[in-house]
Amino acid sequence: MKGSVIRRAAGCGIFVFALGEALARAAAPSVHGTGDVAFYTFEAPDWMLGEFDGQQGWTTDFDGYWTISDAHPYAGSQHMRVAVTSDGFGSAAFSPVLMGVGAQAYSIASTKIAVHQSGSGSDTEFSPLSAAANDYDPSGALPVTRVFVGADGVIKALQPGFTFAPTTGAITDDAYHDLKVITDNSGNAAIEICLDGTSIFNGSSIAATNGTTSFIDSIGLLSTMPMGSIGSTADFDDMRITDADRGGCADAAAWNFDGVVAPALPTGWSTDAAAAGTPWETQTDSADTAPNAAHAIEHDSAAEANLYSATATVDAAGGQLSFRHHWNVESGFDGGVLELSIAGADFVDIVQAGGSFVEAGYNGSLADPSNPLGARPAWTGQQLDFVTTTVDLPDAAAGQPVRFRWRLGSDASGAQDGANGWWVDSVKLAARVLPTQPSAVIAPDHVDIVLEQGAVASQALSIANGGGGTLTYNIPGFAPPAAGVRPAAPPTSTTAAGARVFSRGHRVADGLRGRAIALGAGSGIDIAQMSDATPVASNSLSCGAPGTSTDANSWWRRFYFGEHSQVGASASIDSVTVAAESGPDVPVTINLYAVPHGVAPESIPLDQLTPLGSGSGTVGGVLQATTVAVAGVVADTVNQDLVVEYHIDGSSDGEFFPGGNPSPQTHATFVSASGCGQDVPVDASVLGYPDFHLVMVVNVQDAALPAECSDPSSLAWLSASPATGALGFGASTDVTLGFDAGDLAVGGHDAVMCLTTNDAAHAVVGVPLHVEVIAPANDRIFVNGFELD
């Protein structure tokens, strides 16, 4: 084992590994994306206590030094720890590569870090890596920088020339600190290092100055263990890599009250009290992160205690405040509130100011007029364990300096026995976190319309995405628009471009077969276009540089539900199983689309596809299958077919070939790859590969509409356009509902028109319709001013 220690070459600080397998295994192909986030919290059930190596794709070069521990988490119950158990050793841990080529302005890597020294102490390093580099032996991954925390707590940064430069930061206690590295991807190779929201270093990215991107796609953690350091540990928690459109330390501020000696408050924080109140102070009896939390006591007479935060600047795109707290006060009589001051203005309740709670907002109201806070919503009663409250700040706070005030008010009716009051800890102001899941917002929630018999009318129904990602919707029984949401791609030649060519899989000995994908082995309905779903050697096709790399490729199938009698009138897709014939592990995206059944069969026209859902996973290895969870609903299996796209962004680590076999298939396998001049899906046989039949199994569940939904076939008097669509974050569209009373009798007509969406909370939304048909004007007799005898 001693031959495997980390060493620094004299005067340069380059890693030298006698055993380089950890890095080599970590340098997997990357995923392209914008706004992507890799986030590690190290919490169960994904992470198990004990040996860290191999968990969630991480690798270490020593067994036992790196563990998942519950000794000192930043939040939650678990974290990552490295412990010095032998003198003179070094150890490293490396994350998998989960990010891709930076498409946005900045790459940001951050972690919560706490060091605990024993004896002479040990060194700890946080190293954002750029695996796109090719000159960092042995793995091809180059550090963007190495943030070096010495045994004395002083922080240095590795710079071009492989020398360590001093920063203005230091970590000298056992508390967690927020450490962040920001890289500028615009080409000037700049980096910034932040400690607890304050800039401590500006310099140059090593990766970019060595002729490659400075984009951060993975993380290395290192510890060197000099003589006499046994017993030292370093803890890491809440680790994140982000591809972002803005940088800077000012977009976040964090306070955990642990850098002061109780009862003091951190720099910039203050407190006051009114009536008989007692000011806030830090204490060590109860804390979210040891040793301190801020605390105010409850009184048995009218009293008020106020805690004021330091001033911080909200991100230009909006801010989000979170904090951990618990309380023990008289329910309905005593309680606490959160207030906000923007740019020095008066403090206003966070909700009245325009903020909105994301989680754990006020749980009750105050009623006693003797409480200085008055009658208002508040946190009241008992919450004996720390909980996280998160609140989105009002738009008016974006880009502005702000302060927060926590106010505890007591009335004259008494106080709780024992330890009482309000405890606040782990306060963080960060950029607003946009939701990642779609949320359907449909208005109005019902439609009432009056029209004459024989007349027509219309009304707009608004559909909006109040969440993140892409919201897709479908109104079953109504024909989708002629053009889908994907732009039409011009027809192109299948001639290879440059050194990129379509080639057949040949990296596996002929005749080898993988494990068969069993059809019907699980719940739901498995549909496929081959009876034998087994990946077989030398029956594949992909575009790339032969022997070197693989370009972005998509392999496609179109499923016709009329051929699968076990599928009902609507279908919910739960997963898609695909395979690899051979090649490196690569991220895979499975995309689901609907295409009108009337579109020419044995074709996949991109301009006719409506997205239904997307899922991701990893494929690779030799004759291996992968099942990717993906959700999408085909609301009308009679009028819509399903198209499934199996996509990879490519790999520089060698040739990748998807799993296939030459067994008879009921429909064509399609391929597209812009690198080989094929921008639109084409039948593989047209490219000269008639025996490449793609292995693909789709798991389908019954997605019948609820009984309260009206049968679309009974709504001949109703039309809806566009009946399908896709909406990004914050986007909305109007669906025009058309009403034709030509064949409707005079009187009331009721129905429930149902929409299906990919919003899990609103998978089916019913819109009640009431149409009141009245007689035409020329059929009515109006009597005015006289009576008939």
Side-chain angles (χ1 to χ4, degrees):
M1 290 294 285
K2 289 185 178 181
S4 298
V5 300
I6 300 173
R7 306 186 299 276
R8 294 194 181 93
C12 68
I14 301 177
F15 299 133
V16 179
F17 286 83
L19 178 63
E21 292 183 5
L23 260 176
R25 284 180 291 169
S30 59
V31 179
H32 170 75
T34 59
D36 287 345
V37 175
F39 190 29
Y40 301 100
T41 61
F42 308 109
E43 294 296 320
D46 295 331
W47 302 84
M48 300 182 63
L49 290 173
E51 175 64 43
F52 181 66
D53 187 64
Q55 292 205 48
Q56 301 297 317
W58 282 72
T59 55
T60 68
D61 64 343
F62 280 102
D63 293 338
Y65 288 131
W66 297 88
T67 60
I68 297 297
S69 170
D70 58 3
H72 186 227
Y74 169 74
S77 60
Q78 297 183 175
H79 61 104
M80 185 212 296
R81 165 166 284 192
V82 58
V84 180
T85 58
S86 300
D87 279 338
F89 276 68
S91 184
F94 297 92
S95 77
V97 177
L98 292 182
M99 306 292 286
V101 176
Q104 292 187 260
Y106 296 92
S107 294
I108 301 173
S110 64
T111 187
K112 297 294 188 293
I113 179 174
V115 294
H116 320 278
Q117 303 292 16
S118 178
S120 62
S122 62
D123 303 329
T124 303
E125 298 185 26
F126 176 65
S127 300
L129 300 175
S130 179
N134 56 16
D135 58 355
Y136 178 53
D137 185 75
S139 71
L142 189 74
V144 170
T145 187
R146 288 162 58 194
V147 182
F148 175 88
V149 182
D152 57 359
V154 174
I155 299 175
K156 300 177 182 179
L158 188 66
Q159 283 290 277
F162 294 97
T163 59
F164 280 96
T167 74
T168 60
I171 297 175
T172 57
D173 54 24
D174 291 335
Y176 271 103
H177 294 269
D178 186 67
L179 183 62
K180 179 190 298 183
V181 176
I182 304 169
T183 70
D184 186 337
N185 294 327
S186 63
N188 60 16
I191 64 169
E192 183 174 19
I193 300 175
C194 310
L195 182 66
D196 293 331
T198 300
S199 179
I200 62 171
F201 182 78
N202 285 279
S204 299
S205 163
I206 297 172
T209 56
N210 279 266
T212 185
T213 177
S214 60
F215 180 73
I216 299 169
D217 54 19
S218 54
I219 290 173
L221 305 174
L222 299 104
S223 178
T224 53
M225 307 170 181
M227 300 296 291
S229 63
I230 292 178
S232 295
T233 59
D235 294 325
F236 298 88
D237 207 346
D238 284 12
M239 193 176 300
R240 185 187 301 261
I241 310 172
T242 306
D243 182 8
D245 61 3
R246 63 183 61 84
C249 299
D251 66 348
W255 304 275
N256 57 19
F257 306 105
D258 297 331
V260 297
V261 177
L265 294 172
T267 301
W269 286 65
S270 61
T271 181
D272 61 31
T278 303
W280 288 71
E281 61 183 24
T282 55
Q283 50 76 65
T284 59
D285 292 336
S286 177
D288 180 53
T289 60
N292 299 333
H295 175 244
I297 63 173
E298 178 192 24
H299 286 268
D300 57 8
S301 59
E304 176 183 347
N306 300 314
L307 175 67
Y308 300 85
S309 76
T311 300
T313 301
V314 178
D315 187 88
Q320 187 177 77
L321 179 77
S322 64
F323 57 96
R324 302 269 290 165
H325 61 143
H326 72 91
W327 58 93
N328 181 26
V329 297
E330 282 193 301
S331 180
F333 298 96
D334 303 341
V337 298
L338 174 66
E339 297 179 340
L340 171 68
S341 168
I342 302 174
D346 292 342
F347 282 94
V348 179
D349 184 274
I350 190 68
V351 176
Q352 293 180 351
S356 59
F357 287 108
V358 177
E359 58 181 334
Y362 296 140
N363 69 329
S365 296
L366 304 179
D368 193 323
S370 69
N371 189 312
L373 300 186
R376 58 190 291 188
W379 289 289
T380 186
Q382 290 183 318
Q383 170 60 49
L384 301 183
D385 297 321
F386 277 99
V387 294
T388 299
T389 285
T390 303
V391 58
D392 283 336
L393 302 187
D395 292 340
Q400 298 296 313
V402 298
R403 294 187 75 192
F404 301 95
R405 178 167 69 176
W406 288 261
R407 299 179 66 191
L408 177 64
S410 304
D411 73 348
S413 65
Q416 296 283 67
D417 294 333
N420 64 31
W422 193 8
W423 292 259
V424 172
D425 202 354
S426 302
V427 180
K428 182 176 182 180
L429 171 64
R432 181 179 297 164
V433 178
L434 296 179
T436 59
Q437 299 301 314
S439 176
V441 180
I442 298 172
D445 58 5
H446 67 282
V447 175
D448 291 308
I449 194 166
V450 178
L451 70 163
E452 293 182 351
Q453 189 177 37
V456 296
S458 64
Q459 180 163 326
L461 182 73
S462 173
I463 302 177
N465 182 8
T470 299
L471 173 74
T472 60
Y473 73 89
N474 182 272
I475 306 178
F478 296 89
V485 298
R486 289 181 57 144
T492 60
S493 167
T494 59
T495 302
R500 268 57 181 162
V501 296
F502 283 111
S503 56
R504 182 187 298 275
H506 56 277
R507 298 295 179 260
V508 185
D510 286 342
L512 291 183
R513 296 172 60 86
R515 179 176 297 178
I517 302 170
L519 302 180
S523 62
I525 303 163
D526 287 331
I527 60 174
Q529 294 182 336
M530 294 189 297
S531 59
D532 181 4
T534 306
V536 176
S538 299
N539 281 282
S540 189
L541 173 66
S542 69
C543 169
T548 303
S549 63
T550 306
D551 279 16
N553 279 260
S554 288
W555 301 276
W556 310 72
R557 279 197 179 277
R558 177 176 173 181
F559 293 86
Y560 305 82
F561 289 108
E563 299 172 0
H564 304 279
S565 58
Q566 67 272 46
V567 178
S570 55
S572 172
I573 292 84
D574 279 3
S575 66
V576 175
T577 301
V578 294
E581 179 187 298
S582 63
D585 288 345
V586 296
V588 60
T589 301
I590 300 295
N591 295 314
L592 306 178
Y593 306 94
V595 64
H597 182 67
V599 169
E602 304 304 327
S603 70
I604 300 181
L606 298 183
D607 62 338
Q608 298 287 300
L609 302 185
T610 298
L612 300 177
S614 183
S616 59
T618 302
V619 291
V622 177
L623 302 174
Q624 296 295 311
T626 298
T627 298
V628 178
V630 56
V633 175
V634 178
D636 184 355
T637 57
V638 174
N639 294 308
Q640 294 176 309
D641 301 335
L642 172 68
V643 171
V644 182
E645 178 186 14
Y646 168 4
H647 175 80
I648 66 167
D649 279 335
S651 170
S652 59
D653 290 347
E655 292 180 281
F656 174 86
F657 294 97
N661 68 47
S663 299
Q665 59 181 0
T666 56
H667 294 284
T669 293
F670 293 84
V671 183
S672 62
S674 296
C676 287
Q678 188 59 55
D679 291 333
V680 297
V682 62
D683 187 336
S685 64
V686 174
L687 297 174
Y689 298 88
D691 293 332
F692 169 47
H693 302 163
L694 181 70
V695 168
M696 179 180 286
V697 177
V698 179
N699 185 257
V700 178
Q701 303 284 340
D702 184 12
L705 295 176
E708 59 267 24
C709 298
S710 299
D711 183 353
S713 64
S714 68
L715 306 180
W717 44 267
L718 177 68
S719 63
S721 179
T724 61
L727 302 168
F729 169 72
S732 63
T733 190
D734 283 342
V735 173
T736 299
L737 302 182
F739 300 88
D740 185 345
D743 295 323
L744 292 181
V746 172
H749 301 268
D750 294 289
V752 177
M753 182 191 73
C754 285
L755 302 85
T756 62
T757 80
N758 62 338
D759 172 5
H762 304 93
V764 179
V765 179
V767 179
L769 307 175
H770 177 76
V771 180
E772 188 68 31
V773 179
I774 61 177
N778 57 5
D779 288 345
R780 290 180 240 150
I781 299 175
F782 295 93
V783 179
N784 186 22
F786 65 92
E787 295 180 355
L788 296 178
D789 292 331

